[in-house]
Amino acid sequence: MGVLDGKTSLVTGASRGIGKAIALALAKEGSDVALTYAHQPEPAEQVAADIEKLGRKARFYNCNVADPGANDKLVDLLAADFGQIDIVVNNAGITRDRSFLKMDREMWHDVLNVNLTGPAMVIHRLVGQMLERGDGRIVNITSIVGQMGNFGQANYAAAKGGLIALTKTLAREFARKGVTVNAVAPGFIETDMTADVPEAALDKVRELTPMSRLGKPEEVAAAVVFLASPAASFITGEVLSVNGGMYM
Ligand SMILES: NC(=O)c1ccc[n+]([C@@H]2O[C@H](COP(=O)([O-])OP(=O)(O)OC[C@H]3O[C@@H](n4cnc5c(N)ncnc54)[C@H](OP(=O)(O)O)[C@@H]3O)[C@@H](O)[C@H]2O)c1
């Protein structure tokens, strides 16, 4: 028996890294899972196969979260394949780092579109059926960078800070209709996104982190499962940090 038995979840960007860990953790707690990817189908197919091995239903979809047409198509496919969606996890995210004066408009818009406008569009399309039922959970994956800023990440910090503000606003708007909206703010986590960060910079992160290490995707996933579970029924508008104490 899992705490999410009978539920259906959508996790965006779940072919790798944190999204993959979230999709698997939700399935281990009994949820069926719809997952999306943007570029490579094979890793998404593998995650779906792993979920089915756990005895849960899984489907994977190509959907660039920044593309309105792709989001419309996704919603139609979800309705056909799953009926209702109970839990939405907005995880898909990208970085395009450069110091602010060298950052061009494309880098700015790409990051804002995927990390902020994308989640807003996904919620806009899926929350209606949750509000009608009077039940639903939305979890947005923001970042420590949205809480404290970071050199070279003005676009990413603005998007992730905006996602926190969106989370709190929607939490207020949907609270009386049974839909909670929360965010998880990871610190530095071992995924492809941090794989290119120079070792000297990662040493600095370890030095600034009371727990002296990077986090693991599964540690972020555990926070998402909690916020999606009945145990979090009176929590909304919260930003749950998973950062080893780096920002508190
Ligand atoms: N890693 C960290 O240290 C860290 C810290 C704080 C917050 N976060 C946040 O956590 C989330 C996951 O990060 P991660 O480290 O797991 O990243 P990752 O390893 O780079 O994986 C990103 C995932 O998002 C998908 N994706 C990328 N662009 C997309 C788009 N336009 N539409 C739909 N899916 C897209 C990728 O699919 P494809 O492979 O098909 O492109 C992949 O499945 C992001 O929101 C990130 O900002 C990460």
Side-chain angles (χ1 to χ4, degrees):
M1 294 290 282
V3 294
L4 301 176
D5 280 347
K7 300 291 184 189
T8 300
S9 307
L10 167 68
V11 186
T12 66
S15 55
R16 296 182 282 123
I18 293 170
K20 173 181 173 178
I22 292 169
L24 289 167
L26 292 168
K28 280 179 192 153
E29 286 299 336
S31 180
D32 292 337
V33 183
L35 56 116
T36 71
Y37 68 97
H39 302 98
Q40 304 292 334
E42 294 82 7
E45 187 175 11
Q46 185 59 54
V47 176
D50 290 346
I51 289 171
E52 298 229 307
K53 272 186 218 147
L54 293 168
R56 304 313 326 159
K57 176 174 169 177
R59 295 285 181 275
F60 63 101
Y61 308 93
N62 178 238
C63 177
N64 173 2
V65 78
D67 177 348
N71 283 321
D72 285 340
K73 199 172 138 201
L74 174 67
V75 170
D76 290 345
L77 291 169
L78 292 176
D81 292 345
F82 290 94
Q84 71 183 50
I85 298 291
D86 305 290
I87 297 160
V88 172
V89 183
N90 280 304
N91 167 80
I94 58 166
T95 52
R96 298 280 182 273
D97 299 349
R98 193 76 57 82
S99 60
F100 184 58
L101 291 180
K102 292 182 183 154
M103 187 175 284
D104 61 33
R105 286 174 76 89
E106 198 180 342
M107 296 167 86
W108 178 268
H109 285 299
D110 283 354
V111 169
L112 268 288
N113 284 339
V114 173
N115 295 18
L116 178 57
T117 309
M121 283 197 290
V122 169
I123 295 168
H124 200 268
R125 282 163 174 76
L126 287 174
V127 77
Q129 42 104 30
M130 291 180 172
L131 297 172
E132 270 170 33
R133 287 198 311 275
D135 184 42
R137 297 293 171 92
I138 298 169
V139 183
N140 296 320
I141 308 302
T142 177
S143 168
I144 191 172
V145 172
Q147 297 170 302
M148 60 187 282
N150 197 24
F151 189 98
Q153 293 198 302
N155 50 0
Y156 186 74
K160 293 299 194 182
L163 191 55
I164 291 173
L166 178 73
T167 298
K168 292 182 179 185
T169 298
L170 298 186
R172 290 181 188 280
E173 290 199 14
F174 304 151
R176 269 179 291 175
K177 293 185 176 158
V179 176
T180 68
V181 190
N182 291 292
V184 170
F188 287 77
I189 308 297
E190 287 168 1
T191 69
D192 293 345
M193 191 176 267
T194 48
D196 293 340
V197 177
E199 200 49 40
L202 292 180
D203 281 344
K204 188 76 188 160
V205 167
R206 290 183 194 100
E207 195 183 307
L208 293 171
T209 303
M211 292 180 79
S212 301
R213 65 174 176 86
L214 272 64
K216 298 184 190 318
E218 292 73 21
E219 293 174 312
V220 180
V224 175
V225 168
F226 166 65
L227 290 171
S229 75
S233 54
F234 198 50
I235 300 176
T236 198
E238 183 58 52
V239 182
L240 182 48
S241 292
V242 182
N243 63 23
M246 188 178 185
Y247 177 83
M248 54 176 93

